[in-house]
Amino acid sequence: MGYMAMLLFRPTKLKFVVTCEYWVYLPLEKAPPQDEVMSRMIRDNSYTVNGLPAIGAREGLVFSDIRLHSALVLRSKNPHVFRPDLFDAHVEPTAEDLAMLSESKALQKIRFISEEPLKDDRHLQFLPHMALAVAEIAGASIIFDTVGERLIHTSWLREEMEKNGDATRADLHLRVIWKSVGGEGIAETRGLLKIGLPEIVTEPASADQRILLTALLESAATQVWEARSMPLKVFVEAYQDMFELQLTPAGKGPYKARIFRAQTT
């Protein structure tokens, strides 16, 4: 399937909190020492971006940013946090995921929150690399992206960083989920909050439209991510047809996407 998106921008002034958070499930009741994590990320980091270290002095400043928060959560004191049945249905842990989660004795929360617009994306580069460094040092096998709402295997994240150490790319942060609503369903983005933009949700539609709506929203969300701004309309070509997504705010929640087949001449 080939599809592309074109955005019509009249950027609205948005005030959404930038939120990025990972939970690294640890096999022991202790987190790796902070200085060891720093060394792994900066001095001993083997991942690169265009031949340069993935975490340089610019990204390293996030270590001292007051908006960065790291905390250890013990299973023995907070068992409810480790219950996989509390995940939303669209997280869909596999049997392998559940086995990894059951073996964890603690988790390390790594969180970055800003209530002000950011001048750059260094937090997007920093947090996945920090989560990976913690996991590699601690021997952790699985990580939960709480904003993207997906479980990530450490081995998969390592392979992605080896191929391309640029952790700001959309595929590491964005996903589109499907929620059943009665006999219908909606497609909804996860991950746009990491750049301070609202998530996007479609109107309810029949279940047989799931593949189309998911593809349209995924393409549109990727273009929004790359532009770092919310448009009024997105034109997406899919299945040899052109579609128009009209995006409108809905209170403080996700933007609503109304989808139309665009007129062609």
Side-chain angles (χ1 to χ4, degrees):
M1 176 185 67
Y3 52 84
M4 65 178 182
M6 296 178 290
L7 285 70
L8 174 63
F9 278 100
R10 291 179 188 171
T12 52
K13 293 184 178 180
L14 304 173
K15 188 171 177 61
F16 277 77
V17 175
V18 175
T19 304
C20 194
E21 181 175 351
Y22 296 88
W23 293 3
V24 183
Y25 288 86
L26 307 172
L28 301 175
E29 289 189 336
K30 63 178 182 179
Q34 186 77 350
D35 58 348
E36 192 172 344
V37 174
M38 291 178 64
S39 295
R40 183 64 163 259
M41 292 180 66
I42 299 176
R43 187 188 67 192
D44 304 323
N45 195 329
S46 62
Y47 308 115
T48 61
V49 181
N50 297 324
L52 299 175
I55 302 295
R58 173 176 170 273
E59 293 81 15
L61 291 175
V62 179
F63 270 117
S64 58
D65 196 314
I66 61 173
R67 294 170 293 189
L68 176 69
H69 175 72
S70 181
L72 181 67
V73 180
L74 302 180
R75 180 189 288 270
S76 59
K77 295 184 178 180
N78 303 274
H80 62 284
V81 177
F82 294 80
R83 288 176 51 187
D85 59 297
L86 296 182
F87 285 132
D88 287 334
H90 53 263
V91 176
E92 299 179 336
T94 65
E96 184 180 8
D97 294 336
L98 293 174
M100 292 177 179
L101 292 170
S102 67
E103 294 169 357
S104 64
K105 301 296 189 297
L107 66 82
Q108 183 168 346
K109 288 186 178 183
I110 303 169
R111 176 191 301 157
F112 184 93
I113 296 178
S114 176
E115 296 183 357
E116 299 297 329
L118 301 176
K119 296 180 180 179
D120 54 50
D121 293 336
R122 70 185 69 180
H123 70 291
L124 294 177
Q125 180 71 359
F126 182 91
L127 262 74
H129 277 278
M130 184 174 179
L132 181 56
V134 169
E136 290 180 328
I137 295 170
S141 300
I142 195 164
I143 301 165
F144 183 50
D145 175 355
T146 69
V147 179
E149 295 185 9
R150 62 177 170 180
L151 290 163
I152 301 169
H153 288 188
T154 302
S155 58
W156 176 86
L157 185 56
R158 181 186 302 113
E159 290 173 1
E160 288 297 310
M161 295 302 191
E162 287 173 348
K163 289 187 292 186
N164 182 1
D166 180 7
T168 68
R169 60 190 193 271
D171 60 300
L172 290 185
H173 299 280
L174 273 183
R175 68 181 296 225
V176 173
I177 65 170
W178 178 264
K179 288 184 176 180
S180 296
V181 182
E184 299 179 311
I186 57 173
E188 189 168 354
T189 64
R190 288 292 184 271
L192 289 175
L193 289 176
K194 295 184 181 185
I195 55 174
L197 293 176
E199 304 295 353
I200 305 171
V201 60
T202 65
E203 296 181 311
S206 60
D208 61 2
Q209 293 182 297
R210 175 176 179 171
I211 294 176
L212 174 62
L213 293 184
T214 300
L216 293 176
L217 193 56
E218 185 178 62
S219 180
T222 298
Q223 297 301 315
V224 170
W225 178 275
E226 292 174 352
R228 301 295 195 268
S229 189
M230 184 64 70
L232 297 176
K233 297 179 182 180
V234 182
F235 292 94
V236 179
E237 184 180 1
Y239 298 103
Q240 300 180 331
D241 213 339
M242 184 68 72
F243 297 85
E244 176 184 331
L245 283 72
Q246 296 182 358
L247 308 179
T248 56
K252 296 182 179 180
Y255 266 43
K256 300 291 185 181
R258 300 184 65 197
I259 301 175
F260 305 91
R261 184 170 275 101
Q263 294 290 332
T264 59
T265 57

